[in-house]
Amino acid sequence: MAPAARFRSVVVDCPEPRELARFYAAVGGGTPDEADPEWVVLQVPGGPRLAFQRAPDLTPPEWPRSDRNAQQLHLDFDGGATWAEMDAAHERVLALGARPLDLEDREEKDFMVYADPAGHPFCLCRTEHP
């Protein structure tokens, strides 16, 4: 059966679209199109199109709550196949402005959870061994 529509983008509300697009460009690659300060688009190489739309009064989600102000969705990024690669990705996202939300039991879960500079959760996931 043919799909009803073609996937276009994931849109993220945030107070500062340019800054958040630059953050995710540094995490996942690409160059943001910053022509419109209210709506900034980032095409992640080999991945989805992310759009960032201005929401000046955004209240960040309360991770990991599900009863009120839930995260609703989050982005996953491959952080590497080894824990050394994951540690390097961890240090890089922290230097870019990410805040750790859950780093416990990482070997068992194979992922670590962070908040981006606007407070949205995202994960660094360990990829399968080559």
Side-chain angles (χ1 to χ4, degrees):
M1 173 182 258
R6 190 170 50 100
F7 177 77
R8 180 172 171 85
S9 22
V10 173
V11 180
V12 180
D13 290 349
C14 57
E16 299 295 333
R18 285 181 173 157
E19 277 113 31
L20 199 57
R22 290 173 188 160
F23 171 82
Y24 279 111
V27 171
T31 302
D33 177 353
E34 300 181 10
D36 180 353
E38 301 293 312
W39 179 269
V40 178
V41 176
L42 171 65
Q43 179 62 55
V44 177
R49 177 181 129 130
L50 298 176
F52 302 89
Q53 112 181 324
R54 186 174 308 282
D57 298 323
L58 175 79
T59 300
E62 296 177 47
W63 189 91
R65 295 189 73 111
S66 62
D67 57 340
R68 65 181 170 89
N69 201 25
Q71 67 176 321
Q72 298 178 11
L73 68 91
H74 69 271
L75 303 174
D76 284 347
F77 292 88
D78 289 338
T82 68
W83 286 110
E85 292 171 331
M86 287 287 287
D87 289 341
H90 165 81
E91 292 302 325
R92 180 82 194 274
V93 299
L94 292 180
L96 293 168
R99 180 174 45 88
L101 294 178
D102 182 0
L103 306 180
E104 296 178 24
D105 304 324
R106 69 182 199 161
E107 286 86 2
E108 186 175 314
K109 296 187 288 192
D110 279 347
F111 65 87
M112 298 181 289
V113 185
Y114 303 85
D116 68 23
H120 302 98
F122 74 95
C123 296
L124 289 179
C125 303
R126 191 168 70 92
T127 57
E128 293 294 319
H129 294 284

Short mmCIF file of all heavy atoms in Angstrom, two decimals, residues 4 6 9-10 13 30 37 42 45 67 72 76 78 96 99 101-102 113 117 129:
data_model
loop_
_atom_site.label_atom_id
_atom_site.label_comp_id
_atom_site.label_asym_id
_atom_site.label_seq_id
_atom_site.Cartn_x
_atom_site.Cartn_y
_atom_site.Cartn_z
N ALA A 4 0.25 7.60 2.54
CA ALA A 4 -0.64 8.75 2.32
C ALA A 4 0.17 10.02 2.11
O ALA A 4 -0.29 10.95 1.43
CB ALA A 4 -1.57 8.93 3.50
N ARG A 6 4.54 11.77 2.37
CA ARG A 6 5.98 11.54 2.50
C ARG A 6 6.50 12.31 3.70
O ARG A 6 6.16 13.48 3.89
CB ARG A 6 6.67 12.00 1.21
CG ARG A 6 8.11 11.61 1.11
CD ARG A 6 8.65 11.90 -0.29
NE ARG A 6 8.37 13.24 -0.75
CZ ARG A 6 9.24 14.25 -0.74
NH1 ARG A 6 10.45 14.06 -0.29
NH2 ARG A 6 8.90 15.43 -1.18
N SER A 9 9.86 16.44 7.97
CA SER A 9 10.79 16.89 8.99
C SER A 9 10.26 16.65 10.39
O SER A 9 9.08 16.44 10.58
CB SER A 9 11.11 18.39 8.88
OG SER A 9 10.19 19.15 8.21
N VAL A 10 11.18 16.71 11.33
CA VAL A 10 10.86 16.77 12.75
C VAL A 10 11.02 18.24 13.13
O VAL A 10 12.05 18.85 12.83
CB VAL A 10 11.81 15.89 13.58
CG1 VAL A 10 11.58 16.09 15.07
CG2 VAL A 10 11.67 14.43 13.20
N ASP A 13 10.20 22.90 18.88
CA ASP A 13 9.94 24.23 19.44
C ASP A 13 11.09 24.61 20.36
O ASP A 13 11.60 23.77 21.11
CB ASP A 13 8.64 24.25 20.24
CG ASP A 13 7.40 24.12 19.39
OD1 ASP A 13 7.51 24.22 18.16
OD2 ASP A 13 6.32 23.92 19.97
N GLY A 30 25.75 18.76 9.36
CA GLY A 30 24.91 19.62 8.54
C GLY A 30 25.16 21.09 8.81
O GLY A 30 25.90 21.46 9.72
N PRO A 37 14.96 33.79 11.13
CA PRO A 37 15.29 33.55 12.54
C PRO A 37 14.17 32.87 13.33
O PRO A 37 14.40 32.35 14.41
CB PRO A 37 15.56 34.95 13.09
CG PRO A 37 14.84 35.87 12.19
CD PRO A 37 14.83 35.21 10.83
N LEU A 42 17.68 22.35 9.42
CA LEU A 42 18.96 21.65 9.39
C LEU A 42 18.74 20.31 8.71
O LEU A 42 17.94 19.49 9.19
CB LEU A 42 19.48 21.43 10.82
CG LEU A 42 20.69 20.53 10.98
CD1 LEU A 42 21.93 21.15 10.32
CD2 LEU A 42 20.95 20.25 12.45
N PRO A 45 23.15 15.17 7.45
CA PRO A 45 23.66 14.31 6.37
C PRO A 45 23.26 12.85 6.58
O PRO A 45 23.49 12.29 7.65
CB PRO A 45 25.17 14.48 6.46
CG PRO A 45 25.37 15.78 7.16
CD PRO A 45 24.21 15.92 8.11
N ASP A 67 3.35 12.12 33.46
CA ASP A 67 2.04 12.55 33.94
C ASP A 67 1.73 14.00 33.58
O ASP A 67 0.59 14.36 33.38
CB ASP A 67 1.91 12.33 35.44
CG ASP A 67 2.98 13.06 36.25
OD1 ASP A 67 4.04 13.41 35.67
OD2 ASP A 67 2.77 13.26 37.46
N GLN A 72 7.31 13.89 25.20
CA GLN A 72 6.57 13.71 23.96
C GLN A 72 7.38 13.03 22.87
O GLN A 72 6.90 12.13 22.22
CB GLN A 72 5.96 15.02 23.46
CG GLN A 72 4.97 15.57 24.45
CD GLN A 72 4.37 16.89 24.00
OE1 GLN A 72 4.53 17.30 22.86
NE2 GLN A 72 3.69 17.55 24.89
N ASP A 76 17.48 10.37 18.94
CA ASP A 76 18.55 9.43 19.24
C ASP A 76 19.69 9.64 18.24
O ASP A 76 19.44 9.77 17.04
CB ASP A 76 18.07 7.98 19.10
CG ASP A 76 17.21 7.52 20.27
OD1 ASP A 76 17.17 8.21 21.30
OD2 ASP A 76 16.58 6.46 20.14
N ASP A 78 23.64 7.99 17.17
CA ASP A 78 24.64 6.94 17.37
C ASP A 78 25.89 7.59 17.94
O ASP A 78 26.44 8.51 17.34
CB ASP A 78 24.97 6.25 16.04
CG ASP A 78 23.83 5.39 15.54
OD1 ASP A 78 22.98 4.99 16.37
OD2 ASP A 78 23.79 5.11 14.34
N LEU A 96 29.39 21.16 24.10
CA LEU A 96 28.48 21.94 23.25
C LEU A 96 27.33 22.55 24.04
O LEU A 96 26.58 23.37 23.51
CB LEU A 96 27.91 21.05 22.14
CG LEU A 96 28.92 20.58 21.11
CD1 LEU A 96 28.30 19.49 20.23
CD2 LEU A 96 29.40 21.75 20.26
N ARG A 99 23.25 18.84 28.89
CA ARG A 99 23.22 18.58 30.33
C ARG A 99 22.82 17.12 30.53
O ARG A 99 21.83 16.66 29.96
CB ARG A 99 22.20 19.51 30.98
CG ARG A 99 22.04 19.38 32.46
CD ARG A 99 21.11 20.46 33.01
NE ARG A 99 19.90 20.68 32.26
CZ ARG A 99 18.75 20.02 32.45
NH1 ARG A 99 18.66 19.09 33.38
NH2 ARG A 99 17.68 20.31 31.72
N LEU A 101 21.08 13.87 31.85
CA LEU A 101 19.83 13.55 32.55
C LEU A 101 19.88 12.15 33.15
O LEU A 101 19.36 11.93 34.24
CB LEU A 101 18.63 13.65 31.60
CG LEU A 101 18.29 15.02 31.08
CD1 LEU A 101 17.12 14.95 30.10
CD2 LEU A 101 17.96 15.99 32.22
N ASP A 102 20.48 11.18 32.44
CA ASP A 102 20.57 9.81 32.94
C ASP A 102 21.78 9.14 32.31
O ASP A 102 21.78 8.83 31.12
CB ASP A 102 19.30 9.03 32.59
CG ASP A 102 19.31 7.60 33.13
OD1 ASP A 102 20.30 7.19 33.77
OD2 ASP A 102 18.33 6.89 32.90
N VAL A 113 21.24 9.61 28.40
CA VAL A 113 20.23 10.63 28.11
C VAL A 113 20.73 12.00 28.55
O VAL A 113 21.29 12.15 29.64
CB VAL A 113 18.90 10.31 28.85
CG1 VAL A 113 17.82 11.31 28.46
CG2 VAL A 113 18.45 8.89 28.57
N PRO A 117 20.40 22.40 24.94
CA PRO A 117 20.38 23.71 25.60
C PRO A 117 18.99 24.29 25.86
O PRO A 117 18.82 25.11 26.75
CB PRO A 117 21.18 24.60 24.64
CG PRO A 117 22.14 23.65 24.00
CD PRO A 117 21.34 22.38 23.81
N HIS A 129 28.08 -3.73 17.81
CA HIS A 129 29.50 -4.01 17.52
C HIS A 129 29.66 -4.35 16.03
O HIS A 129 28.84 -5.04 15.46
CB HIS A 129 30.00 -5.16 18.37
CG HIS A 129 30.03 -4.84 19.83
ND1 HIS A 129 30.98 -4.05 20.38
CD2 HIS A 129 29.20 -5.18 20.82
CE1 HIS A 129 30.76 -3.94 21.68
NE2 HIS A 129 29.66 -4.60 21.96
#
